[in-house]
PDB file of all heavy atoms in Angstrom:
ATOM      1  N   ARG A  71      10.655  15.464  -4.974  1.00  0.00           N
ATOM      2  CA  ARG A  71      11.788  16.054  -5.715  1.00  0.00           C
ATOM      3  C   ARG A  71      11.318  16.629  -7.048  1.00  0.00           C
ATOM      4  O   ARG A  71      11.657  17.755  -7.398  1.00  0.00           O
ATOM      5  CB  ARG A  71      12.888  15.028  -5.932  1.00  0.00           C
ATOM      6  CG  ARG A  71      13.797  14.879  -4.730  1.00  0.00           C
ATOM      7  CD  ARG A  71      14.828  13.849  -5.013  1.00  0.00           C
ATOM      8  NE  ARG A  71      14.307  12.603  -4.439  1.00  0.00           N
ATOM      9  CZ  ARG A  71      15.033  11.621  -3.989  1.00  0.00           C
ATOM     10  NH1 ARG A  71      16.327  11.677  -4.095  1.00  0.00           N
ATOM     11  NH2 ARG A  71      14.493  10.568  -3.454  1.00  0.00           N
ATOM     12  N   GLU A  72      10.556  15.842  -7.773  1.00  0.00           N
ATOM     13  CA  GLU A  72      10.008  16.309  -9.050  1.00  0.00           C
ATOM     14  C   GLU A  72       9.061  17.490  -8.825  1.00  0.00           C
ATOM     15  O   GLU A  72       9.102  18.486  -9.547  1.00  0.00           O
ATOM     16  CB  GLU A  72       9.267  15.162  -9.741  1.00  0.00           C
ATOM     17  CG  GLU A  72       8.644  15.548 -11.065  1.00  0.00           C
ATOM     18  CD  GLU A  72       7.877  14.389 -11.674  1.00  0.00           C
ATOM     19  OE1 GLU A  72       8.326  13.224 -11.539  1.00  0.00           O
ATOM     20  OE2 GLU A  72       6.818  14.655 -12.273  1.00  0.00           O
ATOM     21  N   HIS A  73       8.218  17.369  -7.809  1.00  0.00           N
ATOM     22  CA  HIS A  73       7.278  18.430  -7.462  1.00  0.00           C
ATOM     23  C   HIS A  73       8.019  19.744  -7.199  1.00  0.00           C
ATOM     24  O   HIS A  73       7.643  20.796  -7.718  1.00  0.00           O
ATOM     25  CB  HIS A  73       6.465  18.020  -6.228  1.00  0.00           C
ATOM     26  CG  HIS A  73       5.626  19.116  -5.673  1.00  0.00           C
ATOM     27  ND1 HIS A  73       4.375  19.400  -6.165  1.00  0.00           N
ATOM     28  CD2 HIS A  73       5.864  20.016  -4.679  1.00  0.00           C
ATOM     29  CE1 HIS A  73       3.869  20.422  -5.497  1.00  0.00           C
ATOM     30  NE2 HIS A  73       4.764  20.809  -4.588  1.00  0.00           N
ATOM     31  N   HIS A  74       9.084  19.671  -6.408  1.00  0.00           N
ATOM     32  CA  HIS A  74       9.839  20.860  -6.030  1.00  0.00           C
ATOM     33  C   HIS A  74      10.381  21.591  -7.264  1.00  0.00           C
ATOM     34  O   HIS A  74      10.367  22.818  -7.330  1.00  0.00           O
ATOM     35  CB  HIS A  74      10.971  20.477  -5.073  1.00  0.00           C
ATOM     36  CG  HIS A  74      11.607  21.650  -4.419  1.00  0.00           C
ATOM     37  ND1 HIS A  74      11.024  22.309  -3.358  1.00  0.00           N
ATOM     38  CD2 HIS A  74      12.778  22.301  -4.673  1.00  0.00           C
ATOM     39  CE1 HIS A  74      11.803  23.318  -2.986  1.00  0.00           C
ATOM     40  NE2 HIS A  74      12.868  23.330  -3.760  1.00  0.00           N
ATOM     41  N   GLU A  75      10.862  20.821  -8.230  1.00  0.00           N
ATOM     42  CA  GLU A  75      11.408  21.411  -9.462  1.00  0.00           C
ATOM     43  C   GLU A  75      10.345  22.141 -10.280  1.00  0.00           C
ATOM     44  O   GLU A  75      10.634  23.136 -10.941  1.00  0.00           O
ATOM     45  CB  GLU A  75      12.063  20.333 -10.325  1.00  0.00           C
ATOM     46  CG  GLU A  75      13.311  19.745  -9.720  1.00  0.00           C
ATOM     47  CD  GLU A  75      14.397  20.797  -9.478  1.00  0.00           C
ATOM     48  OE1 GLU A  75      14.638  21.632 -10.369  1.00  0.00           O
ATOM     49  OE2 GLU A  75      15.001  20.773  -8.378  1.00  0.00           O
ATOM     50  N   LEU A  76       9.107  21.645 -10.250  1.00  0.00           N
ATOM     51  CA  LEU A  76       8.029  22.206 -11.064  1.00  0.00           C
ATOM     52  C   LEU A  76       7.197  23.262 -10.340  1.00  0.00           C
ATOM     53  O   LEU A  76       6.445  23.996 -10.971  1.00  0.00           O
ATOM     54  CB  LEU A  76       7.095  21.078 -11.530  1.00  0.00           C
ATOM     55  CG  LEU A  76       7.706  20.005 -12.406  1.00  0.00           C
ATOM     56  CD1 LEU A  76       6.741  18.846 -12.584  1.00  0.00           C
ATOM     57  CD2 LEU A  76       8.116  20.582 -13.754  1.00  0.00           C
ATOM     58  N   ALA A  77       7.331  23.331  -9.025  1.00  0.00           N
ATOM     59  CA  ALA A  77       6.434  24.155  -8.217  1.00  0.00           C
ATOM     60  C   ALA A  77       6.893  25.599  -8.117  1.00  0.00           C
ATOM     61  O   ALA A  77       8.053  25.925  -8.357  1.00  0.00           O
ATOM     62  CB  ALA A  77       6.322  23.544  -6.816  1.00  0.00           C
ATOM     63  N   SER A  78       5.929  26.445  -7.731  1.00  0.00           N
ATOM     64  CA  SER A  78       6.179  27.873  -7.506  1.00  0.00           C
ATOM     65  C   SER A  78       6.153  28.157  -6.009  1.00  0.00           C
ATOM     66  O   SER A  78       5.414  27.515  -5.263  1.00  0.00           O
ATOM     67  CB  SER A  78       5.077  28.711  -8.175  1.00  0.00           C
ATOM     68  OG  SER A  78       5.025  28.458  -9.554  1.00  0.00           O
ATOM     69  N   VAL A  79       6.932  29.142  -5.592  1.00  0.00           N
ATOM     70  CA  VAL A  79       6.905  29.545  -4.190  1.00  0.00           C
ATOM     71  C   VAL A  79       5.481  29.986  -3.853  1.00  0.00           C
ATOM     72  O   VAL A  79       4.716  30.375  -4.741  1.00  0.00           O
ATOM     73  CB  VAL A  79       7.922  30.670  -3.890  1.00  0.00           C
ATOM     74  CG1 VAL A  79       9.346  30.170  -4.094  1.00  0.00           C
ATOM     75  CG2 VAL A  79       7.638  31.903  -4.715  1.00  0.00           C
ATOM     76  N   PRO A  80       5.078  29.910  -2.582  1.00  0.00           N
ATOM     77  CA  PRO A  80       3.692  30.182  -2.217  1.00  0.00           C
ATOM     78  C   PRO A  80       3.118  31.500  -2.746  1.00  0.00           C
ATOM     79  O   PRO A  80       1.973  31.534  -3.198  1.00  0.00           O
ATOM     80  CB  PRO A  80       3.707  30.152  -0.682  1.00  0.00           C
ATOM     81  CG  PRO A  80       4.818  29.204  -0.358  1.00  0.00           C
ATOM     82  CD  PRO A  80       5.855  29.451  -1.421  1.00  0.00           C
ATOM     83  N   GLU A  81       3.897  32.576  -2.712  1.00  0.00           N
ATOM     84  CA  GLU A  81       3.381  33.870  -3.172  1.00  0.00           C
ATOM     85  C   GLU A  81       3.048  33.825  -4.665  1.00  0.00           C
ATOM     86  O   GLU A  81       2.032  34.360  -5.113  1.00  0.00           O
ATOM     87  CB  GLU A  81       4.396  34.993  -2.901  1.00  0.00           C
ATOM     88  CG  GLU A  81       4.700  35.220  -1.434  1.00  0.00           C
ATOM     89  CD  GLU A  81       5.648  34.185  -0.831  1.00  0.00           C
ATOM     90  OE1 GLU A  81       6.385  33.496  -1.579  1.00  0.00           O
ATOM     91  OE2 GLU A  81       5.655  34.047   0.407  1.00  0.00           O
ATOM     92  N   VAL A  82       3.904  33.184  -5.445  1.00  0.00           N
ATOM     93  CA  VAL A  82       3.665  33.065  -6.888  1.00  0.00           C
ATOM     94  C   VAL A  82       2.499  32.117  -7.151  1.00  0.00           C
ATOM     95  O   VAL A  82       1.619  32.392  -7.973  1.00  0.00           O
ATOM     96  CB  VAL A  82       4.941  32.609  -7.630  1.00  0.00           C
ATOM     97  CG1 VAL A  82       4.666  32.305  -9.087  1.00  0.00           C
ATOM     98  CG2 VAL A  82       6.044  33.663  -7.485  1.00  0.00           C
ATOM     99  N   ALA A  83       2.464  31.007  -6.423  1.00  0.00           N
ATOM    100  CA  ALA A  83       1.362  30.053  -6.563  1.00  0.00           C
ATOM    101  C   ALA A  83       0.036  30.727  -6.222  1.00  0.00           C
ATOM    102  O   ALA A  83      -0.971  30.547  -6.928  1.00  0.00           O
ATOM    103  CB  ALA A  83       1.594  28.837  -5.671  1.00  0.00           C
ATOM    104  N   ALA A  84       0.019  31.525  -5.163  1.00  0.00           N
ATOM    105  CA  ALA A  84      -1.198  32.245  -4.781  1.00  0.00           C
ATOM    106  C   ALA A  84      -1.638  33.185  -5.901  1.00  0.00           C
ATOM    107  O   ALA A  84      -2.832  33.277  -6.215  1.00  0.00           O
ATOM    108  CB  ALA A  84      -0.978  33.018  -3.486  1.00  0.00           C
ATOM    109  N   ASN A  85      -0.696  33.868  -6.517  1.00  0.00           N
ATOM    110  CA  ASN A  85      -1.049  34.765  -7.626  1.00  0.00           C
ATOM    111  C   ASN A  85      -1.558  33.993  -8.842  1.00  0.00           C
ATOM    112  O   ASN A  85      -2.415  34.490  -9.574  1.00  0.00           O
ATOM    113  CB  ASN A  85       0.135  35.659  -7.987  1.00  0.00           C
ATOM    114  CG  ASN A  85       0.324  36.770  -6.976  1.00  0.00           C
ATOM    115  OD1 ASN A  85      -0.630  37.192  -6.318  1.00  0.00           O
ATOM    116  ND2 ASN A  85       1.552  37.230  -6.830  1.00  0.00           N
ATOM    117  N   GLU A  86      -1.042  32.785  -9.066  1.00  0.00           N
ATOM    118  CA  GLU A  86      -1.552  31.950 -10.151  1.00  0.00           C
ATOM    119  C   GLU A  86      -3.014  31.583  -9.893  1.00  0.00           C
ATOM    120  O   GLU A  86      -3.843  31.618 -10.803  1.00  0.00           O
ATOM    121  CB  GLU A  86      -0.713  30.677 -10.297  1.00  0.00           C
ATOM    122  CG  GLU A  86       0.698  30.907 -10.810  1.00  0.00           C
ATOM    123  CD  GLU A  86       1.546  29.638 -10.783  1.00  0.00           C
ATOM    124  OE1 GLU A  86       0.990  28.528 -10.917  1.00  0.00           O
ATOM    125  OE2 GLU A  86       2.768  29.753 -10.610  1.00  0.00           O
ATOM    126  N   VAL A  87      -3.319  31.231  -8.646  1.00  0.00           N
ATOM    127  CA  VAL A  87      -4.708  30.911  -8.288  1.00  0.00           C
ATOM    128  C   VAL A  87      -5.584  32.150  -8.451  1.00  0.00           C
ATOM    129  O   VAL A  87      -6.668  32.085  -9.039  1.00  0.00           O
ATOM    130  CB  VAL A  87      -4.798  30.345  -6.851  1.00  0.00           C
ATOM    131  CG1 VAL A  87      -6.250  30.218  -6.399  1.00  0.00           C
ATOM    132  CG2 VAL A  87      -4.080  29.005  -6.764  1.00  0.00           C
ATOM    133  N   ARG A  88      -5.126  33.287  -7.937  1.00  0.00           N
ATOM    134  CA  ARG A  88      -5.906  34.528  -8.058  1.00  0.00           C
ATOM    135  C   ARG A  88      -6.175  34.873  -9.520  1.00  0.00           C
ATOM    136  O   ARG A  88      -7.285  35.274  -9.877  1.00  0.00           O
ATOM    137  CB  ARG A  88      -5.165  35.684  -7.392  1.00  0.00           C
ATOM    138  CG  ARG A  88      -5.159  35.649  -5.905  1.00  0.00           C
ATOM    139  CD  ARG A  88      -4.490  36.905  -5.324  1.00  0.00           C
ATOM    140  NE  ARG A  88      -4.274  36.731  -3.904  1.00  0.00           N
ATOM    141  CZ  ARG A  88      -3.109  36.417  -3.345  1.00  0.00           C
ATOM    142  NH1 ARG A  88      -2.014  36.262  -4.093  1.00  0.00           N
ATOM    143  NH2 ARG A  88      -3.011  36.257  -2.043  1.00  0.00           N
ATOM    144  N   ALA A  89      -5.172  34.735 -10.368  1.00  0.00           N
ATOM    145  CA  ALA A  89      -5.342  35.056 -11.789  1.00  0.00           C
ATOM    146  C   ALA A  89      -6.403  34.149 -12.419  1.00  0.00           C
ATOM    147  O   ALA A  89      -7.209  34.603 -13.231  1.00  0.00           O
ATOM    148  CB  ALA A  89      -4.012  34.924 -12.531  1.00  0.00           C
ATOM    149  N   PHE A  90      -6.400  32.887 -12.050  1.00  0.00           N
ATOM    150  CA  PHE A  90      -7.413  31.969 -12.580  1.00  0.00           C
ATOM    151  C   PHE A  90      -8.802  32.378 -12.108  1.00  0.00           C
ATOM    152  O   PHE A  90      -9.755  32.398 -12.881  1.00  0.00           O
ATOM    153  CB  PHE A  90      -7.107  30.530 -12.154  1.00  0.00           C
ATOM    154  CG  PHE A  90      -8.010  29.523 -12.803  1.00  0.00           C
ATOM    155  CD1 PHE A  90      -7.677  28.971 -14.026  1.00  0.00           C
ATOM    156  CD2 PHE A  90      -9.201  29.143 -12.213  1.00  0.00           C
ATOM    157  CE1 PHE A  90      -8.508  28.053 -14.648  1.00  0.00           C
ATOM    158  CE2 PHE A  90     -10.041  28.222 -12.812  1.00  0.00           C
ATOM    159  CZ  PHE A  90      -9.694  27.680 -14.038  1.00  0.00           C
ATOM    160  N   LEU A  91      -8.925  32.703 -10.819  1.00  0.00           N
ATOM    161  CA  LEU A  91     -10.215  33.080 -10.259  1.00  0.00           C
ATOM    162  C   LEU A  91     -10.730  34.386 -10.839  1.00  0.00           C
ATOM    163  O   LEU A  91     -11.929  34.555 -11.033  1.00  0.00           O
ATOM    164  CB  LEU A  91     -10.116  33.206  -8.732  1.00  0.00           C
ATOM    165  CG  LEU A  91      -9.746  31.947  -7.967  1.00  0.00           C
ATOM    166  CD1 LEU A  91      -9.541  32.278  -6.495  1.00  0.00           C
ATOM    167  CD2 LEU A  91     -10.794  30.862  -8.140  1.00  0.00           C
ATOM    168  N   ARG A  92      -9.828  35.297 -11.105  1.00  0.00           N
ATOM    169  CA  ARG A  92     -10.214  36.631 -11.561  1.00  0.00           C
ATOM    170  C   ARG A  92     -10.254  36.754 -13.088  1.00  0.00           C
ATOM    171  O   ARG A  92     -10.360  37.848 -13.620  1.00  0.00           O
ATOM    172  CB  ARG A  92      -9.247  37.663 -10.977  1.00  0.00           C
ATOM    173  CG  ARG A  92      -9.354  37.795  -9.459  1.00  0.00           C
ATOM    174  CD  ARG A  92     -10.284  38.914  -9.130  1.00  0.00           C
ATOM    175  NE  ARG A  92     -10.765  38.954  -7.782  1.00  0.00           N
ATOM    176  CZ  ARG A  92     -10.318  39.741  -6.827  1.00  0.00           C
ATOM    177  NH1 ARG A  92      -9.292  40.521  -7.044  1.00  0.00           N
ATOM    178  NH2 ARG A  92     -10.896  39.746  -5.654  1.00  0.00           N
ATOM    179  N   PHE A  93     -10.187  35.662 -13.798  1.00  0.00           N
ATOM    180  CA  PHE A  93     -10.221  35.653 -15.255  1.00  0.00           C
ATOM    181  C   PHE A  93     -11.477  36.374 -15.728  1.00  0.00           C
ATOM    182  O   PHE A  93     -12.588  35.995 -15.386  1.00  0.00           O
ATOM    183  CB  PHE A  93     -10.217  34.207 -15.761  1.00  0.00           C
ATOM    184  CG  PHE A  93     -10.253  34.055 -17.240  1.00  0.00           C
ATOM    185  CD1 PHE A  93      -9.124  34.302 -17.995  1.00  0.00           C
ATOM    186  CD2 PHE A  93     -11.415  33.656 -17.886  1.00  0.00           C
ATOM    187  CE1 PHE A  93      -9.147  34.151 -19.368  1.00  0.00           C
ATOM    188  CE2 PHE A  93     -11.448  33.504 -19.251  1.00  0.00           C
ATOM    189  CZ  PHE A  93     -10.306  33.751 -19.996  1.00  0.00           C
ATOM    190  N   ARG A  94     -11.301  37.447 -16.483  1.00  0.00           N
ATOM    191  CA  ARG A  94     -12.396  38.241 -17.083  1.00  0.00           C
ATOM    192  C   ARG A  94     -13.291  38.956 -16.087  1.00  0.00           C
ATOM    193  O   ARG A  94     -14.284  39.538 -16.471  1.00  0.00           O
ATOM    194  CB  ARG A  94     -13.283  37.364 -17.969  1.00  0.00           C
ATOM    195  CG  ARG A  94     -12.617  36.862 -19.191  1.00  0.00           C
ATOM    196  CD  ARG A  94     -13.656  36.298 -20.121  1.00  0.00           C
ATOM    197  NE  ARG A  94     -13.007  35.664 -21.240  1.00  0.00           N
ATOM    198  CZ  ARG A  94     -13.527  34.691 -21.943  1.00  0.00           C
ATOM    199  NH1 ARG A  94     -14.713  34.233 -21.668  1.00  0.00           N
ATOM    200  NH2 ARG A  94     -12.871  34.171 -22.951  1.00  0.00           N
ATOM    201  N   SER A  95     -12.997  38.908 -14.804  1.00  0.00           N
ATOM    202  CA  SER A  95     -13.882  39.554 -13.842  1.00  0.00           C
ATOM    203  C   SER A  95     -13.128  39.879 -12.566  1.00  0.00           C
ATOM    204  O   SER A  95     -12.270  39.118 -12.142  1.00  0.00           O
ATOM    205  CB  SER A  95     -15.064  38.641 -13.517  1.00  0.00           C
ATOM    206  OG  SER A  95     -15.846  39.217 -12.494  1.00  0.00           O
TER     207      SER A  95
END
Side-chain angles (χ1 to χ4, degrees):
R71 278 179 264 209
E72 179 182 323
H73 171 84
H74 192 78
E75 292 300 315
L76 298 170
S78 301
V79 295
E81 297 77 20
V82 172
N85 284 333
E86 291 173 30
V87 171
R88 287 185 191 102
F90 187 89
L91 298 174
R92 293 266 164 101
F93 180 75
R94 293 193 187 154
S95 174

